[in-house]
Amino acid sequence: YFKFITNLSDLIEILLVSVNFGWPSVRKLRGKMAFIVRNLSMDELQFVSWSGSPTHLTYVAEAIERASKGEVDYLIIYVDGVPLGIGGVDYMVNVGVGTLYQLSVHPDYESRGIGTALIQALEKRTVDRGCTAAELSVEIENARARALYERLEYSIIGTTTESWREEADDGTITVYTCECLRMRKTLQ
């Protein structure tokens, strides 16, 4: 939808074009940063190397392929024209629940509302798919991310052990295993 704004100093956030129509969402964050949220494409992978190793980017590429089958949504968020956040929601893990995963904001731009905007966009996609809840996992030691999720009304529902392939700077691949909190939010 479009909204006419008469007082820009009061503008915190505005959605100019709805994601539902296949157009990117253009917003203002705290009246200062314009951002666009849209589906991540294979062509954009080269711009998000900050999000992880080549092995991680392989996981992201697999998610983009799954998005073409409707199994997941995988989004990118541009802030002032620069890609600074990515993340997905998987609809195949639990029936009626969107599982948020691989949430990443460029480390130099954390705590500026980008992660919140990304999660809210993923939650909207989840609701649009008819899901009634969103879940995610966060490493127990990641207090900063946990605080964000709690602020966004996610509650702890249990613990889980998770693992994935991780690539060191020298190209060595190992399996990283960690204990995570499972968190859930009811969506409306």
Side-chain angles (χ1 to χ4, degrees), residues 46-168:
Q46 62 184 321
F47 304 123
V48 295
S49 59
W50 49 262
S51 70
S53 69
T55 299
H56 168 73
L57 293 176
T58 299
Y59 286 130
V60 176
E62 291 170 1
I64 294 169
E65 287 295 322
R66 291 186 62 214
S68 70
K69 299 174 188 171
E71 298 173 356
V72 305
D73 279 316
Y74 209 94
L75 304 180
I76 184 168
I77 185 166
Y78 282 84
V79 180
D80 294 329
V82 180
L84 296 178
I86 60 171
V89 57
D90 192 326
Y91 305 109
M92 306 305 288
V93 176
N94 292 317
V95 175
V97 177
T99 302
L100 280 54
Y101 71 111
Q102 293 182 351
L103 304 174
S104 181
V105 171
H106 191 291
D108 294 340
Y109 294 88
E110 292 176 348
S111 297
R112 297 186 189 189
I114 298 166
T116 297
L118 178 62
I119 291 168
Q120 289 172 341
L122 290 166
E123 289 173 349
K124 181 178 183 327
R125 293 284 183 102
T126 301
V127 168
D128 290 348
R129 290 285 294 258
C131 297
T132 59
E135 288 186 2
L136 53 78
S137 295
V138 59
E139 290 184 59
I140 290 174
E141 296 83 19
N142 193 342
R144 185 178 186 158
R146 179 180 169 184
L148 169 63
Y149 305 145
E150 288 174 339
R151 184 174 59 77
L152 294 174
E153 300 178 359
Y154 283 81
S155 300
I156 298 169
I157 59 170
T159 60
T160 185
T161 301
E162 296 194 10
S163 62
W164 55 85
R165 293 185 322 258
E166 188 173 69
E167 185 173 345

